[in-house]
Amino acid sequence: MLALGVAFYLSEQRSAKAIDKLLNSDNRMADLSLRSSLAMYKARDAENELLRSVDRLGVAAASARFLPAMQNHLLDMREYLASLRILSTDPQFRAQVARIEAQTEQYEDGVLARIAQHGKETPASPSSELGRHDVDTTAAIESSVEALHTAATKRALQTRADAERAATFSRWAAIAMVVLASLLGAAIAWIVSQRITRSITELIAFSRRVAAGDFSARAQQGRADEFGILASAMNQMAESIENSNVLLESSAGRLKHQATHDLLTGLPNRALLEDRLKQAISYADRYGRLMTVVSINLDGFKLVNDSLGRKAGDELLKVMAERMHQCLRSVDTVVRTGGDEFVIVLYDQPGDGTDVAPALQGLLEAIAEPVRIGDQGVQVTGSLGVATYPADGADADALLRNADAAMALAKASGRNNFQFYTAAMNGAIRDKLALREGLRHAVARGEFHLVYQPQVAMTSGQVTGVEALIRWQHPERGLVSPTEFIPLAEETGLIVPIGEWVLRTACFQNRAWQDAGLPAFNVAVNVSARQFRERTWIEQVDRALDDSGLDPRFLELELTESLIMEDLEKALLSMRTLQAMGVQLSIDDFGTGYSSLSALKRFPISRLKIDQGFVRGIPGDEEDKAIAKAIISLGHELDLKVIAEGVETLQQLAFLRANGCDEIQGYLFSPPVTPAECATLVNARFAVAQGD
């Protein structure tokens, strides 16, 4: 009896631990459902803050301030729901979680759509209008999440109650067995002792197997006595514990995999990257070999994602991930670190690290292969940066940092190529960071100024307009070239406030010239793609004209072909609005973009500017001459003025005059000059044209 009690106690302790695991799982589900509910309430609070701030800040500012918080709470909620779906084995419970996930996505998409729609309709929609959304969706989500929490909590309580009942039953069964065995032992000692001894031996053996963790063990059944009942009950408990243990181990494996792998592509994620890099470095050190880190960024992915939608972008990322994986050896690793960024770890490299060039070229070719997404064919390319251990970094962080630096150079070098890291890159990156920091404060510190390059009529020689060109007088670097800081401004988004400053300064200067008695002429301002896409761009133009008092017909906005063709219909709508305001529009650098003739005739423009790249080759380059003649002829057929920029020689001037070009701009007539010098030049040319 004592041995049976000890064995039963050990078995009960082992079973209790397994039951605790099951209880912890149910309690975890209840906690996750509660966290999901709280995350939804926080998201709703963030949305309410956004709505309350719309009247005061406007839709754009309110969205920028509160929308990220709402999306972060919704992201937390999705993570909790995903964990719930993994832990649960109940199909109905998992279906309920899936419905909530779908409702959450519908709610978020609805909010984003309403914000985007109101952002298009008015500059600052009142919160009352913005707040008119489908409350049924949010109510359904909150109700569903509360129901989910209730179900999870009930399940946890029910599991605990079942465990307690099973434990109580086991204890009473043991007590009953001992008491019954004692009574029967007194009456039929020999017979009962034989049967009890045999049963106890079997149960002890069974208990030892269960206590050792063998939950597949089963006691012999088939007898109708107390030992048979106990064996049946213990077998049921062992079976339940075995099922729960299998479920817990399976869930733990899935959770571990999800924690170290990208959910979209199935590739290792950033969390696993460091471990793979350490393994590769350790192998390289042990066997005296090299290892290579390749940083990859997809060129043109943002355009696909923005134009075709997030689902199309996700499908494209899956295809790219599979292609990269197919290009590698089994020992190599491709990791998705986020967005359209990947890292490849190449093990066991021979030579000096440059032997990977053929593999990298093959990778570029695989990435550049067209992809069919639905009915749309798309193509992206890749920019690759390469760093080799140990020459380019002694640890994982240094290798990744230097590979990123090389990748940035590949981007700057025209994309769709790979670059090997060099020590000079870090200096260039530091210079770029310092320049970017200075650029952030340049407007406030008054470091920018405008110069103006005159545009001259071919027939009269009179100044018909000027182009405003920005210059940056850096306090330490001196005069910084626009070719150096304009791309940086585009990259950081600073081109928007800088562009608005240029627009306003040019408008005020033109009005000042007119007030000083100069003949009226146009001032041309270049517009960047980032500016043109701004929701408030047209309002900025209207405000600059209104504040300066400049007549809109004396403002000319220069747009590029590529800018317009990014979203033709939207660009045409904005251009027609500006034309209705009286603003002049022209196509800058014509001939370098991709506009078709059918698109060109729809543009509400007044002038074409021949790109200086075509003018530079005149008169020696026959192709440049043919292109220039064709643009002049095309412009006149469309009743447009044609101006050639970059005119620097008399031979170029003679060719353009002979072929009917209307206006010229370039150093042959005048370099960009200060406002005072420009006024003097305009007066002089006007006097000559008048015959004074």
Side-chain angles (χ1 to χ4, degrees), residues 210-381:
V210 173
D214 182 7
F215 299 119
S216 63
R218 297 292 184 268
Q220 292 185 4
Q221 296 182 214
R223 295 170 55 180
D225 57 17
E226 290 79 0
F227 286 104
I229 296 173
L230 181 59
S232 177
M234 295 179 72
N235 283 343
Q236 291 178 7
M237 181 179 295
E239 183 177 357
S240 177
I241 294 172
E242 181 183 23
N243 292 336
S244 299
N245 192 56
V246 170
L247 176 61
L248 289 172
E249 290 178 354
S250 175
S251 299
R254 287 197 301 269
L255 289 173
K256 182 179 180 181
H257 183 272
Q258 291 176 359
T260 56
H261 288 75
D262 177 48
L263 294 179
L264 177 64
T265 63
L267 296 176
N269 60 16
R270 188 180 293 275
L272 193 56
L273 174 60
E274 184 176 356
D275 179 68
R276 296 292 172 88
L277 283 172
K278 288 180 178 178
Q279 291 181 25
I281 290 173
S282 176
Y283 182 91
D285 288 339
R286 179 179 301 173
Y287 297 102
R289 306 284 283 180
L290 304 179
M291 60 84 63
T292 299
V293 176
V294 184
S295 177
I296 303 175
N297 183 263
L298 299 181
D299 309 320
F301 173 76
K302 186 177 186 300
L303 180 60
V304 174
N305 208 39
D306 292 344
S307 58
L308 300 182
R310 186 173 57 187
K311 290 184 178 179
D314 288 347
E315 289 301 316
L316 179 60
L317 289 173
K318 291 179 183 178
V319 173
M320 291 298 110
E322 179 60 26
R323 288 182 180 179
M324 293 180 199
H325 181 73
Q326 292 297 327
C327 289
L328 302 181
R329 303 168 301 174
S330 60
V331 296
D332 300 326
T333 300
V334 56
V335 176
R336 183 186 177 211
T337 56
D340 59 344
E341 297 178 350
F342 298 82
V343 170
I344 290 178
V345 181
L346 301 176
Y347 284 71
D348 194 22
Q349 295 297 312
D352 60 358
T354 60
D355 294 342
V356 299
L360 298 176
Q361 186 60 43
L363 191 60
L364 287 175
E365 293 172 359
I367 293 173
E369 284 290 326
V371 180
R372 196 78 184 172
I373 299 179
D375 297 330
Q376 182 71 42
V378 299
Q379 184 178 26
V380 296
T381 57

Side-chain angles (χ1 to χ4, degrees), residues 458-534:
M458 188 73 77
T459 54
S460 66
Q462 188 171 349
V463 174
T464 58
V466 296
E467 181 179 0
L469 301 169
I470 189 171
R471 297 291 185 265
W472 182 12
Q473 188 66 39
H474 194 280
E476 298 173 357
R477 297 170 180 259
L479 193 62
V480 182
S481 170
T483 59
E484 186 175 358
F485 72 82
I486 291 298
L488 190 59
E490 288 273 10
E491 178 185 326
T492 58
L494 293 171
I495 194 67
V496 175
I498 292 174
E500 184 176 7
W501 178 87
V502 171
L503 173 68
R504 293 180 62 84
T505 303
C507 287
F508 274 93
Q509 181 59 63
N510 199 6
R511 180 55 192 247
W513 281 327
Q514 294 181 15
D515 291 343
L518 266 68
F521 53 81
N522 290 349
V523 60
V525 176
N526 289 283
V527 181
S528 73
R530 187 74 175 266
Q531 280 180 278
F532 197 72
R533 289 195 299 266
E534 280 291 302

Side-chain angles (χ1 to χ4, degrees), residues 8-274:
F8 188 81
Y9 173 79
L10 294 175
S11 175
E12 185 180 41
Q13 291 298 310
R14 186 67 180 181
S15 300
K17 291 181 180 179
I19 292 172
D20 284 341
K21 289 184 179 180
L22 185 60
L23 288 173
N24 289 336
S25 175
D26 287 345
N27 289 335
R28 175 63 175 160
M29 289 172 62
D31 180 66
L32 286 171
S33 62
L34 179 59
R35 289 177 181 268
S36 299
S37 179
L38 292 176
M40 182 61 197
Y41 287 136
K42 291 179 180 178
R44 291 283 292 124
D45 287 341
E47 180 196 6
N48 291 334
E49 287 293 333
L50 188 152
L51 296 179
R52 285 195 292 268
S53 302
V54 164
D55 293 336
R56 177 168 52 87
L57 302 177
V59 174
S63 299
R65 186 169 180 180
F66 296 104
L67 186 56
M70 185 194 81
Q71 292 178 314
N72 287 337
H73 292 316
L74 291 178
L75 180 61
D76 291 340
M77 181 177 178
R78 290 192 185 96
E79 292 178 354
Y80 299 146
L81 292 174
S83 299
L84 272 173
R85 192 171 60 253
I86 293 170
L87 288 174
S88 176
T89 58
D90 186 346
Q92 293 183 352
F93 190 91
R94 297 179 69 176
Q96 188 176 4
V97 172
R99 285 196 300 273
I100 295 173
E101 290 177 321
Q103 290 170 341
T104 304
E105 183 174 358
Q106 178 184 357
Y107 163 69
E108 181 178 6
D109 290 344
V111 172
L112 293 176
R114 285 188 293 277
I115 291 173
Q117 183 62 34
H118 283 280
K120 294 176 181 177
E121 294 174 359
T122 59
S125 301
S127 59
S128 59
E129 293 182 7
L130 190 60
R132 295 183 190 134
H133 56 81
D134 188 3
V135 297
D136 292 337
T137 301
T138 56
I141 295 174
E142 292 171 353
S143 176
S144 299
V145 174
E146 290 178 0
L148 192 72
H149 175 58
T150 300
T153 303
K154 287 183 178 180
R155 178 185 175 90
L157 294 174
Q158 183 63 42
T159 301
R160 182 175 296 277
D162 291 343
E164 291 176 351
R165 282 196 297 271
T168 301
F169 173 79
S170 298
R171 287 193 294 270
W172 280 108
I175 294 171
M177 178 187 66
V178 173
V179 172
L180 182 59
S182 300
L183 294 174
L184 291 175
I188 47 174
W190 186 83
I191 297 175
V192 173
S193 65
Q194 291 297 316
R195 297 185 65 184
I196 290 176
T197 300
R198 186 170 57 253
S199 298
I200 289 175
T201 301
E202 293 174 356
L203 289 175
I204 289 174
F206 163 74
S207 299
R208 286 175 177 172
R209 292 179 62 187
V210 173
D214 182 7
F215 299 119
S216 63
R218 297 292 184 268
Q220 292 185 4
Q221 296 182 214
R223 295 170 55 180
D225 57 17
E226 290 79 0
F227 286 104
I229 296 173
L230 181 59
S232 177
M234 295 179 72
N235 283 343
Q236 291 178 7
M237 181 179 295
E239 183 177 357
S240 177
I241 294 172
E242 181 183 23
N243 292 336
S244 299
N245 192 56
V246 170
L247 176 61
L248 289 172
E249 290 178 354
S250 175
S251 299
R254 287 197 301 269
L255 289 173
K256 182 179 180 181
H257 183 272
Q258 291 176 359
T260 56
H261 288 75
D262 177 48
L263 294 179
L264 177 64
T265 63
L267 296 176
N269 60 16
R270 188 180 293 275
L272 193 56
L273 174 60
E274 184 176 356

